[in-house]
């Protein structure tokens, strides 16, 4: 783990101090929002100078395990000409993870799933990812290399 990753991990833990929220689910929602903001900042850095447009979106999730309430989570869209890669939050809890984001390519009137990103998976608090058809246990670190592999479909 790099010094930057250790710093960001400690910063996240500091921001999500137990007891500052009414429930664990509220703390997890706040962490999901914060981590999506950090993910967008990372993506902006990785794509600096490429001409790929980055847009923020808002996704409303209904989580059955959180009093069947809805809450908003930031999403991310990357645009190059008429192609879009969307990073869309899909659930907070499930499949042994906390915070799931689906990456999909929108091109030629079709939507193609590219990957799933997980905010926390088991003991791993860093982003991990899987191909859309992978068995849930086959996760790898989501980093700059994984990101560029995922978004390769932006190029015609």
């Amino acid at each position: 783990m790099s010094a930057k990753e250790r710093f960001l991990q400690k910063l996240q833990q500091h921001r999500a101090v137990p007891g500052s929220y009414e429930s664990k689910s509220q703390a997890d929602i706040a962490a999901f929002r914060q981590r999506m903001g950090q993910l967008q900042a990372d993506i902006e850095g990785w794509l600096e100078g490429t001409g790929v447009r980055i847009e923020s979106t808002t996704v409303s999730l209904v989580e059955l395990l959180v009093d069947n309430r809805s809450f908003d989570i930031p999403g991310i869209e990357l645009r190059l000409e008429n192609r879009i890669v969307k990073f869309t939050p899909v659930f907070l809890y499930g499949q042994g993870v906390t915070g799931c984001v689906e990456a999909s390519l929108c091109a030629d009137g079709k939507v193609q799933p590219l990957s799933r990103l997980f905010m926390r998976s088991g003991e791993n608090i860093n982003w991990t990812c899987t191909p859309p058809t992978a068995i849930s246990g086959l996760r790898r670190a989501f980093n700059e290399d994984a990101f560029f592999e995922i978004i390769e479909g932006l190029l015609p």
Side-chain angles (χ1 to χ4, degrees):
M1 182 181 297
S2 72
K4 178 181 178 182
E5 289 171 331
R6 281 193 304 275
F7 174 81
L8 293 175
Q9 180 180 357
K10 287 181 181 181
L11 179 62
Q12 177 193 350
Q13 290 170 346
H14 173 73
R15 287 185 177 160
V17 176
S20 62
Y21 297 96
E22 291 180 22
S23 66
K24 179 184 181 323
S25 60
Q26 285 183 345
D28 288 339
I29 291 167
F32 200 8
R33 288 179 178 140
Q34 186 267 332
R35 296 281 303 277
M36 286 300 294
Q38 182 59 50
L39 179 62
Q40 181 165 340
D42 290 344
I43 290 171
E44 288 171 352
W46 295 335
L47 291 174
E48 189 174 345
T50 63
V52 175
R53 289 192 336 248
I54 303 166
E55 298 178 10
S56 297
T57 63
T58 301
V59 177
S60 186
L61 294 180
V62 175
E63 182 62 59
L64 299 175
L65 298 174
V66 184
D67 301 328
N68 208 21
R69 294 185 350 225
S70 68
F71 52 91
D72 292 337
I73 299 291
I76 305 164
E77 291 185 1
L78 310 178
R79 296 177 179 266
L80 185 64
E81 298 171 4
N82 60 346
R83 300 171 81 80
I84 303 169
V85 171
K86 295 182 179 184
F87 290 84
T88 307
V90 290
F91 61 79
L92 179 63
Y93 298 121
Q95 302 175 0
V97 301
T98 302
C100 177
V101 176
E102 185 169 84
S104 57
L105 173 66
C106 304
D108 303 321
K110 299 176 185 170
V111 177
Q112 175 187 351
L114 301 172
S115 183
R116 283 211 163 179
L117 282 64
F118 304 102
M119 180 179 81
R120 286 194 306 258
S121 175
E123 298 297 315
N124 192 344
I125 64 167
N126 297 312
W127 285 104
T128 57
C129 62
T130 64
T133 57
I135 299 169
S136 61
L138 301 175
R139 296 187 182 103
R140 69 178 188 145
F142 178 77
N143 54 27
E144 188 173 9
D145 285 340
F147 169 74
F148 280 105
E149 289 173 13
I150 290 168
I151 70 161
E152 191 172 343
L154 268 178
L155 301 173

